[in-house]
Amino acid sequence: MTSTKSLLKDIQKNQETFTKSGRKLAEYILLHSDDVITISISDLALNANVGEASVTRFCRQLGFHRFQDFKTALAVDATQQEHGIDPNLGSFALSITDDVIDVASKLKNNLNTILNDTITPIKPNEIKLLVDKITRCRDICFFGIGSSGIAANYAYTKLMRIGLKAESLHNNHMMYIRASLLNKEDIAFFYFSSRRITRDHQITLISQKRRGYNDRINTLPSINCSQDGRSCIDHG
């Protein structure tokens, strides 16, 4: 995969190796990198006057499986440039030769990247809408298995500490049962790997949908508590 520390430079350097559509994309991305971080694949295709399939091929040529992965790397690249992060520390990988300052710098860079990845896709209007729904709902449920369960439990604890009624479930059997009891006054968050939604979450969602509470299912921005977590909110 192309290193995030030099993504824009690599695009610029390899422009001549791209297809005609690839060169259009490269030109647009180099001129509007800040905008590309926040737009959809269809918007990028439209703005660059290419097809969505061309965007996907372009991302894969650079070593990214999905457009979202490319956008994340682009956001990291922008953050490193904005904050003057040493590119030699961009990988965050610790070495036996690192001294205390090297370790501290890599940790700082890593945290900056996590914060940027979390902030970049946030849409203020959606957050305001979500907060309003959370304050008015009956129950708030967090579902997560394994490391995703840690993130779910962390969110549950935070809400409980400010006086909101919430619960966190990590056992798949209990998740099925609790999901079947959700109604349109409840909100449920499903934490899962960004690479795939687990079979347990699929069954839980199906259980909830069979009761007719599938009016809206949205994917929220990546939650970087475990570096690869995602959250899905289901509400009436």
Side-chain angles (χ1 to χ4, degrees):
M1 178 180 292
T2 298
S3 172
T4 59
K5 68 189 178 187
S6 59
L7 179 55
L8 290 174
K9 289 182 180 179
D10 283 347
I11 292 174
Q12 186 173 22
K13 182 176 65 175
N14 295 310
Q15 265 186 290
E16 296 304 316
T17 68
F18 298 139
T19 62
K20 182 178 179 180
S21 295
R23 287 193 294 272
K24 287 183 179 180
L25 283 164
E27 182 178 351
Y28 182 85
I29 291 167
L30 290 171
L31 291 174
H32 306 91
S33 58
D34 290 342
D35 296 331
V36 173
I37 293 170
T38 62
I39 63 178
S40 66
I41 187 172
S42 57
D43 287 337
L44 175 57
L46 181 64
N47 294 345
N49 195 28
V50 300
E52 291 186 24
S54 295
V55 178
T56 299
R57 285 193 294 270
F58 180 81
C59 293
R60 288 179 177 172
Q61 185 174 351
L62 291 170
F64 301 98
H65 182 64
R66 302 178 309 155
F67 177 58
Q68 184 61 44
D69 298 330
F70 171 78
K71 288 204 301 181
T72 298
L74 194 60
V76 172
D77 196 14
T79 299
Q80 290 176 340
Q81 291 187 30
E82 180 182 353
H83 297 284
I85 296 175
D86 183 353
N88 294 321
L89 300 176
S91 68
F92 313 129
L94 296 179
S95 167
I96 195 170
T97 61
D98 289 343
D99 58 22
V100 173
I101 298 300
D102 289 335
V103 173
S105 297
K106 289 181 178 181
L107 177 60
K108 172 179 173 290
N109 293 348
N110 193 24
L111 292 175
N112 282 339
T113 299
I114 291 172
L115 289 173
N116 186 74
D117 289 349
T118 303
I119 292 172
T120 296
I122 288 179
K123 298 179 180 178
N125 290 338
E126 291 185 359
I127 296 299
K128 185 177 183 299
L129 178 64
L130 178 58
V131 170
D132 182 58
K133 288 183 176 294
I134 287 176
T135 55
R136 291 189 291 107
C137 71
R138 185 188 66 166
D139 290 332
I140 306 168
C141 298
F142 294 93
F143 299 88
I145 297 175
S147 60
S148 296
I150 298 174
N153 204 50
Y154 179 81
Y156 145 78
T157 303
K158 286 294 185 181
L159 291 190
M160 288 288 285
R161 291 187 66 179
I162 62 174
L164 295 176
K165 183 181 179 184
E167 59 183 308
S168 178
L169 295 98
H170 316 124
N171 176 276
N172 54 4
H173 180 65
M174 295 305 298
M175 285 166 55
Y176 305 156
I177 295 174
R178 186 64 184 90
S180 69
L181 299 176
L182 294 172
N183 65 35
K184 293 189 176 184
E185 297 178 355
D186 303 327
I187 291 181
F189 290 88
F190 298 84
Y191 287 76
F192 53 91
S193 168
S194 61
R195 296 175 182 82
R196 62 181 177 83
I197 183 168
T198 67
R199 177 177 176 275
D200 293 319
H201 284 102
Q202 287 177 331
I203 295 175
T204 305
L205 284 166
I206 291 171
S207 174
Q208 196 262 355
K209 284 183 177 182
R210 284 177 176 170
R211 292 176 56 84
Y213 308 126
N214 60 336
D215 294 345
R216 187 176 180 189
I217 297 179
N218 296 325
T219 300
L220 298 181
S222 296
I223 295 178
N224 291 287
C225 298
S226 59
Q227 293 285 350
D228 64 350
R230 286 187 70 82
S231 173
C232 174
I233 176 176
D234 189 2
H235 57 78

